[in-house]
Amino acid sequence: MAIFASCQEQKKTTASPEERVVSDPLPSWNDGINKDAILTFVKAVTDSTSTDFVSVEDRIAVFDNDGTLWSEQPAYFQLFFAIDRIKAMASDHPEWKKQQPYQAILEGDMKALMASGEKGLLELVLATHTGMTTDEFETIVSDWVATAKHPRFDKPYKELVFQPMLELLAYLRANDFKTFIVSGGGIEFMRPWAEVVYGIPKDQIVGSTIKTKFEIKEGKAQIIRLPELDFIDDKAGKPVAINRFIGRKPIFAAGNSDGDLQMLQWTDSRGGKTMKLYIHHTDSVREWAYDRSSHIGQFDKGLDEALDKGWTIASMKEDWKVIYPFEMK
Amino acid sequence: MAIFASCQEQKKTTASPEERVVSDPLPSWNDGINKDAILTFVKAVTDSTSTDFVSVEDRIAVFDNDGTLWSEQPAYFQLFFAIDRIKAMASDHPEWKKQQPYQAILEGDMKALMASGEKGLLELVLATHTGMTTDEFETIVSDWVATAKHPRFDKPYKELVFQPMLELLAYLRANDFKTFIVSGGGIEFMRPWAEVVYGIPKDQIVGSTIKTKFEIKEGKAQIIRLPELDFIDDKAGKPVAINRFIGRKPIFAAGNSDGDLQMLQWTDSRGGKTMKLYIHHTDSVREWAYDRSSHIGQFDKGLDEALDKGWTIASMKEDWKVIYPFEMK
């Protein structure tokens, strides 16, 4: 039941005897200053006798998704989805054989694909994510998540989530935090699977949006996904989305890249006890190692500010016993 | 604690002995087909042995605000807020004395104000709702709600909420529904007071939005409210907002005007057991009586479709023992 509304998660996480006997709420985190920082923060804001106590309605925790809750290499998983869609749709579009960026995909030429730049990638997204009803898109995403596999691990993408972060989400909810995703990814790309995988209700999953239109067709109400961007939930867009969708400043924020910096700054600006957590991709063996010069999930300005302000920087190599849940089987 | 996150409301509503001994969850509703329809619907979708059973995560209930949860006459309360703001700001704007629609307000000429039309009203909203930080606007709204009084009842606007609807909200939450507001009103106009008044968390309050911008000013992160409309959460915009903010089709929707029709159509389109509730303003003595020809909250197309499809139409005069909570004191 932990996949349902936060109340359900909390009933579950507070009621389950298994969890009550667990002395360590973060078993996949190595002991150290970063694990201590998390435990100390949660104890402080939930201790009604503490000057740092935060009432339940203000216990808002926001998480980036790509690179923070699941991997984002060698490319954002949503791009793999778009690529698979192009291949699946190609038979209806013979013109794509000679038209970039489609040709690059059909010929497996990732270099040419990347050369098409943001404009090319946006065209891919609009070609594969719009022109259908919201119901149809949900089915398309659900089918892909159930069948597509990551090229390096040969496992479903939804299995490439970070076990230590799943434990952190559950730990926060067990302490009456309301957990949200605030991601640059598409809001309707995440909702069909993220609710089940992370235990975060759909209405607490915030992301980028395209314009949509409500209409009655043959007596049936439907919402059509239009080929036009509505909002990019990245960088300065993240605090704007947090204000619009949540209406409160978070007391906890976790990210992994410069795209999350403004979200962490917004959290920091709340005052009082807050936690800003950066996940640093430092494990080239079990996951990937990248930061300042990466073309995906660049972590440069954010790393400087985190170091300067003493925010928590968790190293995947040093702080995490395991990366993915399947390592524990 | 019932004002906090839905989990808190539910713990409260399910745990409170007072409520468990209450045999009638809707004491302010007169017995009759409409009250029966609500009770029968909730019993059916929460009975795990029923073919109409709906799992907890899908128990989404959406409510319009103006005219559905509180009154909207003789004008939307948010317009009274804007008018009061113009008066408060007038000393800094001597030019307003000779400039419509401001002059009309300063001279108390409602007729001239209404003559300024949608364009004039939009100008008022932008002049009074933008140009400050989100923190500043929250303070302005909170101060107004705490002090301003309705011209007819000489009571704070927040006391002009409908007691039968407060009971309906609590009843649904006690049955593990997640309750949302989906209103044409400003999302940041509602959040400062609606959470406390209705027991609906800020992140479950959806409304119209203006564009905002995140910035760091003198080292301090802030969000500025820009003088540009972002999204009007009315008519066909309501299903669009429900899809964007909630990500599920509701199984329960309540409204009072044609502006809510598409929201009820969207709820109806879900299939399975759903409830579409229209509040009909039929009480000219205790509240107001208006429908097909009203300039506010027009209820014409919606009334036809509700009658045609057999949706529930609650009459304030016939179905409600009391309108406002203060009648019970």
Side-chain angles (χ1 to χ4, degrees), chain A residues 4 7 10 57 135 178 188 191 195 203-204 212 214 220 223 239-240 243-244 247-249 269, chain B residues 4 7 10 57 135 178 187-188 191 195 203-204 212 220 223 239-240 243-244 247-249 269:
Chain A
F4 302 150
C7 45
Q10 290 177 24
E57 73 276 16
D135 287 348
K178 201 166 185 178
E188 294 192 79
R191 284 173 168 170
E195 177 175 72
D203 61 282
Q204 291 164 222
T212 61
F214 174 82
K220 169 88 172 166
I223 294 179
V240 166
N243 181 65
R244 181 180 304 157
R248 288 194 142 85
K249 290 176 190 164
S269 74
Chain B
F4 301 150
C7 46
Q10 292 178 22
E57 73 275 16
D135 287 348
K178 201 166 184 178
I187 197 167
E188 294 193 78
R191 284 173 168 170
E195 178 175 71
D203 61 284
Q204 291 163 224
T212 61
K220 169 87 173 167
I223 294 179
V240 165
N243 181 65
R244 181 178 305 156
R248 288 192 145 84
K249 290 175 190 167
S269 75

Side-chain angles (χ1 to χ4, degrees), chain B residues 152-171:
Chain B
R152 171 178 167 186
F153 293 94
D154 192 37
K155 290 187 178 295
Y157 291 92
K158 65 181 177 183
E159 291 187 26
L160 299 185
V161 295
F162 303 138
Q163 175 64 26
M165 298 304 281
L166 296 180
E167 294 168 3
L168 177 54
L169 285 167
Y171 174 53

